[in-house]
Amino acid sequence: MSLADQVLAVNNDLPIRTDAPVHSGKVRSVYWLTAADSARLIKQKGYDVAADAPLAIMVISDRISAFDCIWQGQGGMAGVPGKGAALNAISNHWFKLFKQNGLADSHILDIPHPLVWIVQKAKPVMIEAICRQYITGSMWRAYSKGERDFCGIELPEGLNKDQKLPELLITPSTKGILEGIPGVPAVDDVNITRANIDDNYEAFNFHSPADVDRYEVLLKEGFDLISEALAQLDQVFVDTKFEFGYVTDAAGNDKLIYMDEVGTPDSSRIWDGPAYRDGQVIEQSKEGFRQLLLNHFPDPDILLNKDRMDERQALARDNALPTEVLMAVSKTYTDIAAKITGQPVHISANPKAEIIEILSRDFGLID
């Protein structure tokens, strides 16, 4: 079995029965089930959703993206062994703890395989909610240039790079292009303030002003739960992104839920605690891969400058990274997943064949 065989790089070509186009993102592909299959599974499996709720199969890949590009390795390695399973395992762990601690549900209904979720359709809140406990990354770069206002929050003078912030900061940005909101440019991923959200809550898909308060509570409680759990493992939860949406349960109640992924190396920065106390930053997340790319290429401005996107895409397309680079990334993902969940990450010998067999045998979804 070669390393390339262990990687699920193409995840949008499975023979899952669907009557809609497969949506393929940077990492996940979504197969919307037929209305008949959705209704059948809801009844057979007893999912707590409306009887006519649309369901989907979400298949995660082992592709790795950074700086809005997909990166490849030598020898046909089109991804990172174990990455997808590690991301799903970590999210599954946190979602379970969120529910056990009374925070909120997620969009996940079933986990047939380490690379697969069965999810219910959610109406997303159009906000990417970033929580920051330390000043680093883009916030530090802006702060070091004199910027002090972040999403309507004024930061004090005298902060140092990678320092813990005086309090947990919530710095939201738009999810997608939203038009017609006063004071909010119609571009993707633009920073917004709490006042922007309060004044235009319906434009961001919130049902009520009370749900804006609820969203902020879930942000802080979710962050604190993960941060405290990681601290027990001597790991530092630096910052993370949460996403939310609405679903309807079997009783007809609308619920604000967590969606996408939470507390993973793709959506968060996690630092090694002992190293941080010694004045070093050892990344336990994709940020380490980003830094490696910045150091690997002679002109890092290509990766940071959005005006050079054509050059960046050519860089990713034409430069296969050394195998040892991708295996180091694999170790980062699988090690932190094993540390968080207490279980080793399952790396399939033939993930596509396994997924097809399970979805056919246990769910009747393969033609």
Side-chain angles (χ1 to χ4, degrees):
M1 179 178 63
S2 71
L3 288 173
D5 291 335
Q6 297 179 38
V7 171
L8 180 62
V10 179
N11 59 343
N12 63 355
D13 62 348
L14 279 76
I16 298 170
R17 189 163 51 250
T18 179
D19 53 9
V22 178
H23 172 75
S24 192
K26 290 178 184 175
V27 175
R28 288 181 170 83
S29 287
V30 180
Y31 299 75
W32 288 106
L33 301 184
T34 66
D37 279 330
S38 291
R40 174 177 60 81
L41 288 180
I42 290 169
K43 185 175 181 179
Q44 287 179 354
K45 304 293 185 179
Y47 299 143
D48 183 21
V49 299
D52 60 351
L55 306 187
I57 304 295
M58 190 174 286
V59 182
I60 194 168
S61 72
D62 293 316
R63 293 190 297 271
I64 185 160
S65 68
F67 302 106
D68 295 317
C69 293
I70 304 295
W71 299 86
Q72 312 287 327
Q74 295 172 349
M77 249 171 87
V80 174
K83 176 179 178 284
L87 292 178
N88 270 10
I90 292 169
S91 284
N92 297 342
H93 180 79
W94 298 133
F95 282 140
K96 182 178 178 180
L97 287 183
F98 285 177
K99 188 170 183 177
Q100 288 175 349
N101 285 272
L103 274 64
D105 288 338
S106 75
H107 59 328
I108 301 170
L109 300 173
D110 220 333
I111 306 171
H113 181 274
L115 296 174
V116 178
W117 289 338
I118 296 180
V119 301
Q120 58 182 315
K121 188 172 186 178
K123 182 180 180 182
V125 171
M126 303 306 291
I127 291 172
E128 292 194 346
I130 312 297
C131 291
R132 304 176 188 269
Q133 193 165 228
Y134 291 77
I135 183 166
T136 191
S138 61
M139 177 177 276
W140 170 253
R141 289 193 293 272
Y143 185 90
S144 66
K145 295 175 182 176
E147 189 173 334
R148 294 294 180 267
D149 184 281
F150 294 88
C151 301
I153 303 166
E154 188 74 18
L155 291 189
E157 298 292 336
L159 296 179
N160 298 313
K161 185 176 185 291
D162 301 332
Q163 177 183 337
K164 190 170 185 178
L165 291 161
E167 61 181 343
L168 180 67
L169 297 186
I170 296 175
T171 57
S173 61
T174 55
K175 179 180 173 71
I177 297 173
L178 305 178
E179 299 188 4
I181 302 178
V184 177
V187 295
D188 185 28
D189 197 24
V190 63
N191 286 348
I192 53 177
T193 67
R194 172 63 192 262
N196 292 143
I197 301 171
D198 286 335
D199 293 344
N200 306 277
Y201 69 90
E202 290 178 308
F204 292 102
N205 281 352
F206 283 108
H207 289 187
S208 69
D211 280 354
V212 179
D213 294 332
R214 174 68 174 153
Y215 132 90
E216 196 159 278
V217 168
L218 290 175
L219 273 180
K220 293 177 179 178
E221 289 183 345
F223 190 97
D224 288 346
L225 185 152
I226 296 174
S227 183
E228 290 167 11
L230 286 176
Q232 293 176 16
L233 303 172
D234 211 356
Q235 302 295 297
V236 180
F237 199 36
V238 178
D239 54 36
T240 197
K241 176 187 75 172
F242 286 109
E243 296 189 38
F244 295 89
Y246 285 93
V247 296
T248 305
D249 64 18
N253 301 308
D254 287 340
K255 302 188 298 184
L256 186 63
I257 61 160
Y258 296 98
M259 57 182 291
D260 198 43
E261 60 181 47
V262 290
T264 72
D266 269 13
S267 65
S268 317
R269 280 187 181 88
I270 301 169
W271 292 341
D272 180 70
Y276 181 72
R277 290 193 295 275
D278 286 341
Q280 304 175 60
V281 168
I282 295 180
E283 297 283 356
Q284 307 280 44
S285 61
K286 189 168 69 175
E287 185 59 26
F289 178 64
R290 288 167 53 89
Q291 295 301 319
L292 184 149
L293 292 175
L294 290 170
N295 293 324
H296 184 72
F297 294 107
D299 185 3
D301 183 68
I302 294 175
L303 299 175
L304 298 172
N305 189 338
K306 291 184 178 180
D307 293 332
R308 302 180 71 179
M309 182 58 73
D310 288 345
E311 294 174 84
R312 190 188 307 178
Q313 291 173 342
L315 204 66
R317 182 186 65 241
D318 300 335
N319 289 273
L321 300 173
T323 300
E324 57 266 27
V325 167
L326 294 187
M327 292 312 297
V329 177
S330 174
K331 181 172 172 54
T332 296
Y333 277 75
T334 56
D335 281 1
I336 194 64
K339 188 182 289 285
I340 288 170
T341 66
Q343 299 290 331
V345 172
H346 171 72
I347 300 180
S348 303
N350 191 335
K352 193 168 289 188
E354 287 183 8
I355 292 169
I356 291 170
E357 179 185 358
I358 290 170
L359 292 183
S360 175
R361 182 190 67 221
D362 299 340
F363 296 87
L365 294 173
I366 305 296
D367 285 326

